[in-house]
Amino acid sequence: MEYIQAHKRTHKRLSTPKILKRALFIILGAALVSVGLEIFLVPNNIIDGGIVGVSIILSHLTGLKLGIFLFFLNLPFLFVGYKQIGKTFAISTLLGVAVMSLGTTILHPVQKVTADPLLAAVFGGIILGIGVGMVIRYGGSLDGTEIVAILFNKKMPFSVGETVMFFNIFILGSAGFVFGWDRAMYSLIAYYIAFKMIDVTIQGLDESRSVWIISDKYEEIGEALLARLGRGVTYLNGEGGYTGDNKKVIFCVITRLEEAKLKAIIEDIDEAAFLAVGSIHNVKGGNFKKLNVH
């Protein structure tokens, strides 16, 4: 009898330059979060959501340094993250949390940039969001709330997003009792801006779009997209669910700035064409290059 030995496929290790790049951007992102907190938000009694918000409230009530709470409140979630997501995530998160905690301690004596709560909420939210987005983009996290949400999601009929929202509404609402309701509203502004900046930082400004087009004039549309937009297309075979007719589906990937021109091209050729456009967080590989358009 012939035996075949199965070899366990191991995860490919990152190269040293990639590890250093990841560590550098995690450190930079965590440092930006420290600046957003200690230079803008905390001195103006404005909080963020998640563990950061809880830490700010506890620091205010106890008089202890913010960095202490940021580090120790996140430790249990580091263990859970290691179990649920993996070693690389846990190490990246530990690095980010350590830098953020140390950064807030170092920056605590520094004077705040502005005493205007609106300016503090806006610019603090921007800096905080960019920093958090950088850490997430390079494989780490600065807040254990989402890890808790993942665990709750397995046992309760709520999505991860809904659970995070519930936690943050509770935390931001608590700020009203501690700092006053006007500061709670400024905190909500800061949280919203930070949330949007996280998306922009993770996805990048040059966000891509996936385009699906169904038309009887698919060849003419495909040639026009190639000639006038400089984008290649892929033809897929489809079948109408109601009529049973064979259909050609055009698939194309464009940038956000090219969407308006693509719609104009399609309308010029076939106003009745079916068009679906969706956002893509990342495009890699293949031949996603823009050809020269003359």
Side-chain angles (χ1 to χ4, degrees):
M1 183 181 291
E2 184 178 353
Y3 294 91
I4 300 175
Q5 183 178 5
H7 297 279
K8 185 177 180 181
R9 181 175 294 179
T10 58
H11 180 67
K12 186 177 179 181
R13 292 175 61 89
L14 291 174
S15 63
T16 300
K18 289 184 177 180
I19 292 174
L20 292 176
K21 179 182 177 181
R22 174 176 290 193
L24 176 63
F25 278 99
I26 288 175
I27 291 171
L28 179 58
L32 284 175
V33 172
S34 302
V35 172
L37 289 173
E38 286 292 353
I39 306 298
F40 290 92
L41 300 183
V42 175
N44 289 285
N45 293 330
I46 299 172
I47 74 168
D48 186 34
I51 301 302
V52 174
V54 175
S55 299
I56 294 173
I57 292 174
L58 292 177
S59 175
H60 177 79
L61 294 176
T62 62
L64 297 175
K65 295 292 181 60
L66 174 61
I68 296 174
F69 291 103
L70 288 174
F71 186 79
F72 286 103
L73 289 181
N74 273 299
L75 280 182
F77 304 111
L78 285 173
F79 178 77
V80 175
Y82 175 78
K83 293 292 185 181
Q84 295 291 325
I85 303 176
K87 180 180 178 181
T88 302
F89 171 80
I91 294 174
S92 300
T93 299
L94 178 61
L95 175 62
V97 170
V99 172
M100 176 179 64
S101 303
L102 181 62
T104 55
T105 302
I106 294 173
L107 292 173
H108 184 70
V110 179
Q111 292 293 321
K112 58 186 177 183
V113 172
T114 178
D116 187 320
L118 181 58
L119 290 175
V122 171
F123 286 95
I126 291 173
I127 296 171
L128 189 75
I130 293 174
V132 172
M134 289 176 64
V135 174
I136 294 174
R137 184 167 183 168
Y138 287 92
S141 176
L142 294 177
D143 197 292
T145 308
E146 290 189 1
I147 300 175
V148 175
I150 292 172
L151 296 179
F152 270 90
N153 178 247
K154 295 179 179 180
K155 300 179 180 179
M156 300 183 68
F158 299 107
S159 68
V160 173
E162 289 170 341
T163 307
V164 171
M165 183 184 298
F166 173 79
F167 281 143
N168 287 329
I169 289 175
F170 175 77
I171 293 166
L172 292 171
S174 300
F177 295 98
V178 178
F179 300 114
W181 293 108
D182 61 332
R183 300 296 160 164
M185 288 185 279
Y186 285 123
S187 297
L188 188 60
I189 293 173
Y191 174 76
Y192 178 80
I193 293 173
F195 180 80
K196 291 298 181 182
M197 289 306 302
I198 289 171
D199 281 347
V200 171
T201 305
I202 293 174
Q203 297 174 7
L205 293 173
D206 194 21
E207 184 182 353
S208 299
R209 298 280 198 265
S210 61
V211 181
W212 304 81
I213 308 161
I214 302 176
S215 171
D216 293 332
K217 300 179 180 179
Y218 64 91
E219 288 186 346
E220 189 177 350
I221 292 175
E223 292 173 359
L225 294 179
L226 181 62
R228 295 169 57 185
L229 199 62
R231 291 295 182 188
V233 300
T234 300
Y235 297 114
L236 306 174
N237 293 318
E239 180 180 337
Y242 179 72
T243 63
D245 296 338
N246 292 327
K247 297 284 185 179
K248 284 290 186 180
V249 181
I250 304 173
F251 175 74
C252 181
V253 177
I254 61 173
T255 66
R256 175 173 53 87
L257 301 178
E258 294 169 334
E259 183 177 346
K261 185 175 180 180
L262 176 135
K263 290 179 178 178
I265 292 172
I266 296 173
E267 288 178 0
D268 287 343
I269 299 172
D270 184 5
E271 292 184 352
F274 173 83
L275 172 65
V277 181
S279 296
I280 301 178
H281 291 175
N282 190 22
V283 177
K284 186 177 182 180
N287 191 26
F288 184 60
K289 294 180 180 179
K290 184 174 175 65
L291 304 177
N292 291 327
V293 180
H294 302 285

